[in-house]
Amino acid sequence: MRSLETLLDLFRQNGLKITAQRRMILELLVNDDSHPTAEQVYRRILETIPDISRTTVYNTLGELTDLGELTPVHNISGRGQRYDTNQETHHHLHCVECHELLDISRDYERMDLSLEEASGYRILRHQVTFFGICPDCQTRRGDHAADEDGRQLLMQSAPDTE
Amino acid sequence: MRSLETLLDLFRQNGLKITAQRRMILELLVNDDSHPTAEQVYRRILETIPDISRTTVYNTLGELTDLGELTPVHNISGRGQRYDTNQETHHHLHCVECHELLDISRDYERMDLSLEEASGYRILRHQVTFFGICPDCQTRRGDHAADEDGRQLLMQSAPDTE
DNA sequence: GTTTCTGCAAAACCTTTGCACAGCT
DNA sequence: AGCTGTGCAAAGGTTTTGCAGAAAC
């Protein structure tokens, strides 16, 4: 995400006032790459501004989204809309167990689509999501690749990591 | 999605009883590639089973997910969790305006991740999502690529479609 | 006949909205 | 001073839960 000063300027330029609440939300987001939900931002702001309301958090996240500084991201089976502070071209690594979401900064440049495949869409961007199991969740499960319980889909067509 | 008979067998094998409600939901999904939400499935089942409850629809979709026959998919800013009936390796084309979601059956085989990038994750699969504007929404907007209103983010780093 | 499923109602959860008061510039 | 933002409360939409009666095997 861009620097706090840049974001504050951007707010001013768009006629949005710099309040203590907004400043705190921006400060929190500037160095956050954890893709938090509104609720998570709210809870962390509560520690310094105990009487902030959820409305304000939702408003500010919406303003940042409209300004193009925040991007809503997929959140499969996790609760609540998550936000991505990273506006660079990047991709995602998503733990199917704990829903941790990491950024991958590599650029897979030429993901070509034939005209037929594009179905008349005007393509704006693309993003690759890798689904997997994070180290912590592997440990939690027992770390054995073979004797998994549960869902079959986890094991099928797994590409190599290298 | 697999055939109705296969799904019915799968249910039987897992001790799940074949009820009229479940059968109808399966029949509906077998030939549906529109990535419907639970609510959309519910509304369409209502036409033939007017007193089905949402609970039953949610239950059945959950069972299919646990069996690995249905995959929850990202649904950015659209309402409700969408489900993907396609378990083959495939990718997505997503309209950022109307949230239409199309399948692309191409296989981008070697999406390599370095060990460092994988961060210790055990990678299971990956999926590419192309974001764009569908033909209908282009028309609705006026079809001019140049003079767009709205959000900056839509125009940045747009790759060619060919 | 036993077990599981369904539908209902209620609750939980996430997000949006309307409005009066407070705060920023 | 004027305008915008904030917090509250309520509403709207989605999903989950507990349970009694109904249906499948």
Side-chain angles (χ1 to χ4, degrees), chain A residues 2 17 19-20 33 37 47 51 57-58 73 85 87 96 105 109-111 128 133 142 150 162:
Chain A
R2 297 207 261 175
K17 295 176 177 172
T19 64
D33 61 355
T37 63
E47 296 168 13
D51 57 352
V57 174
Y58 277 97
V73 288
T85 58
Q87 300 303 112
V96 297
S105 59
E109 9 191 319
R110 293 201 61 74
M111 301 256 61
V128 184
I133 302 179
E162 214 278 313

Side-chain angles (χ1 to χ4, degrees), chain B residues 50-64:
Chain B
D51 57 351
I52 197 173
S53 79
R54 282 190 179 79
T55 306
T56 300
V57 174
Y58 278 98
N59 285 345
T60 305
L61 296 179
E63 287 145 10
L64 282 164

Side-chain angles (χ1 to χ4, degrees), chain A residues 66 74 100 106 108 112-113 117 120-122 124-125 127 129 131-133 138 148 151 154 158-159 161, chain B residues 66 74 100 106 108 112-113 117 120-122 124-125 127 129 131-133 138 148 151 154 158 161:
Chain A
D66 290 344
H74 69 140
E100 181 185 55
R106 169 194 295 246
Y108 296 100
D112 52 315
L113 265 193
E117 286 172 323
Y121 273 59
R122 180 147 52 83
L124 303 165
R125 63 190 178 90
Q127 189 165 44
T129 303
F131 296 91
I133 302 179
Q138 287 176 46
E148 303 294 355
R151 346 191 112 178
L154 297 185
T161 48
Chain B
D66 290 343
H74 68 139
E100 181 186 54
R106 170 195 294 249
Y108 295 102
D112 51 313
L113 266 191
E117 287 171 323
Y121 273 58
R122 180 147 51 85
L124 302 165
R125 63 190 178 91
Q127 189 165 43
T129 303
F131 296 92
I133 303 179
Q138 287 177 46
E148 305 292 359
R151 344 194 114 174
L154 298 186
T161 48

Side-chain angles (χ1 to χ4, degrees), chain A residues 20-160:
Chain A
Q21 292 88 336
R22 280 176 175 160
R23 175 184 288 273
M24 188 59 65
I25 294 170
L26 297 185
E27 281 181 16
L28 186 150
L29 290 176
V30 161
N31 291 309
D32 188 337
D33 61 355
S34 71
H35 312 86
T37 63
E39 183 69 18
Q40 288 169 334
V41 172
Y42 170 67
R43 295 224 177 268
R44 284 168 60 191
I45 301 289
L46 268 189
E47 296 168 13
T48 39
I49 310 182
D51 57 352
I52 197 172
S53 79
R54 282 188 179 81
T55 307
T56 299
V57 174
Y58 277 97
N59 286 344
T60 305
L61 296 179
E63 287 145 10
L64 282 165
T65 302
D66 290 344
L67 291 168
E69 298 296 321
L70 221 46
T71 307
V73 288
H74 69 140
N75 188 17
I76 294 173
S77 304
R79 295 222 147 271
Q81 176 67 62
R82 300 177 73 159
Y83 291 91
D84 196 335
T85 58
N86 185 348
Q87 300 303 112
E88 312 284 309
T89 294
H90 70 288
H91 304 283
H92 283 148
L93 184 49
H94 182 216
C95 179
V96 297
E97 300 232 328
C98 68
H99 303 117
E100 181 185 55
L101 187 58
L102 298 183
D103 284 351
I104 297 172
S105 59
R106 169 194 295 246
D107 186 2
Y108 296 100
E109 9 191 319
R110 293 201 61 74
M111 301 256 61
D112 52 315
L113 265 193
S114 71
L115 277 179
E116 188 190 8
E117 286 172 323
S119 305
Y121 273 59
R122 180 147 52 83
I123 306 294
L124 303 165
R125 63 190 178 90
H126 63 263
Q127 189 165 44
V128 184
T129 303
F130 292 87
F131 296 91
I133 302 179
C134 74
D136 285 355
C137 288
Q138 287 176 46
T139 307
R140 210 169 294 136
R141 287 177 142 216
D143 216 5
H144 301 104
D147 57 294
E148 303 294 355
D149 57 338
R151 346 191 112 178
Q152 295 101 307
L153 85 157
L154 297 185
M155 300 309 297
Q156 77 193 10
S157 73
D160 279 336

